[in-house]
Amino acid sequence: LPNLGLLKRAITDYHDSGRWEADIAIIANEAMMYLNGLDPTGKKMAVVFDIDETSLSNWPTIKTDDYGYISKDFNDWVNKAEAPAIIPVRDLYQFARKKGFATFFVTGRPESQRGVTEKNLKSGGYSDWDKLFMKPDDYHEPSVVPYKSGARREITQSGFRIVVNIGDQESDLQGGWSDRTFKVPNPAYFIP
Ligand SMILES: [Mg+2]
């Protein structure tokens, strides 16, 4: 088995060297090229974005807590609404808006953090989304897949075709209701 201390160092170097963001950019650019080949005019085509470690980076608190998830620290961080935008994904978002795609956020953040999340998205350069789905405060399933795929089903049943779904966790992407899925890397944590 690999050594945990060495893995942490390798992940920190992956971030600090810029390779993490470069790998995200490769995926975001693939999604952008796919959108570029579509014409959403009059077709209600949509792109779905995850938020944490896809649209916004929580790197400062991940690093401070040395990869150990401490819910109080993480919530304090989220409530500051200072998470920086992940630039290649923000570029994808702005490209999608400009081209006439609808945009949706589907996040595992709880409904109680809606205000700070909206504030952070806007300050990060994301605006004019069609709807922001947040996890209900009474959701207690062991996996986010039923919630996230259910949100995509709801988007689809309201008349949109989800052409792209992008996230950093497999659980962002499983469960269908999108033509294409795009997985950006996140070696720092796992959400079932
Ligand atoms: Mg995420």
Side-chain angles (χ1 to χ4, degrees):
L1 280 174
N3 176 278
L4 180 56
L6 294 177
L7 279 177
K8 287 178 177 178
R9 267 200 245 169
I11 296 167
T12 299
D13 185 58
Y14 182 55
H15 175 272
D16 292 352
S17 66
R19 283 181 289 132
W20 188 342
E21 187 172 274
D23 285 347
I24 291 174
I26 289 168
I27 304 300
N29 286 337
E30 282 176 14
M32 198 182 289
M33 284 194 289
Y34 177 61
L35 292 182
N36 197 38
L38 300 173
D39 181 6
T41 312
K43 287 190 186 135
K44 293 191 81 173
M45 286 182 178
V47 182
V48 169
F49 295 80
D50 169 59
I51 294 182
D52 293 307
E53 272 53 69
T54 300
S55 302
L56 299 175
S57 171
N58 300 301
W59 178 253
T61 193
I62 292 168
K63 186 70 175 49
T64 298
D65 282 351
D66 194 31
Y67 303 95
Y69 175 76
I70 299 167
S71 62
K72 185 189 180 302
D73 286 2
F74 194 82
N75 286 323
D76 286 350
W77 161 257
V78 166
N79 289 335
K80 286 204 289 185
E82 288 175 1
I86 294 175
I87 304 302
V89 175
R90 185 178 67 190
D91 289 348
L92 173 67
Y93 183 91
Q94 293 177 346
F95 176 84
R97 294 291 323 172
K98 201 171 162 190
K99 255 207 121 201
F101 292 91
T103 50
F104 293 86
F105 290 102
V106 179
T107 178
R109 290 186 180 189
E111 190 61 52
S112 50
Q113 288 176 327
R114 178 173 292 274
V116 290
T117 298
E118 290 181 342
K119 181 181 171 194
N120 202 156
L121 286 172
K122 287 175 187 163
S123 66
Y126 299 91
S127 58
D128 304 316
W129 56 83
D130 290 81
K131 188 168 176 179
L132 163 60
F133 287 83
M134 307 201 71
K135 200 167 70 178
D137 288 333
D138 61 354
Y139 185 85
H140 297 298
E141 301 269 351
S143 161
V144 298
V145 172
Y147 151 64
K148 289 204 162 194
S149 62
R152 295 194 302 277
R153 184 180 60 231
E154 190 180 319
I155 292 165
T156 303
Q157 289 173 346
S158 70
F160 292 92
R161 177 182 187 125
I162 300 173
V163 291
V164 164
N165 176 22
I166 186 165
D168 66 291
Q169 302 285 322
E170 293 296 346
S171 55
D172 296 329
L173 310 176
Q174 292 163 346
W177 303 101
S178 68
D179 289 352
R180 293 277 306 269
T181 58
F182 293 86
K183 167 78 171 63
V184 295
N186 179 4
Y189 62 82
F190 175 75
I191 309 280

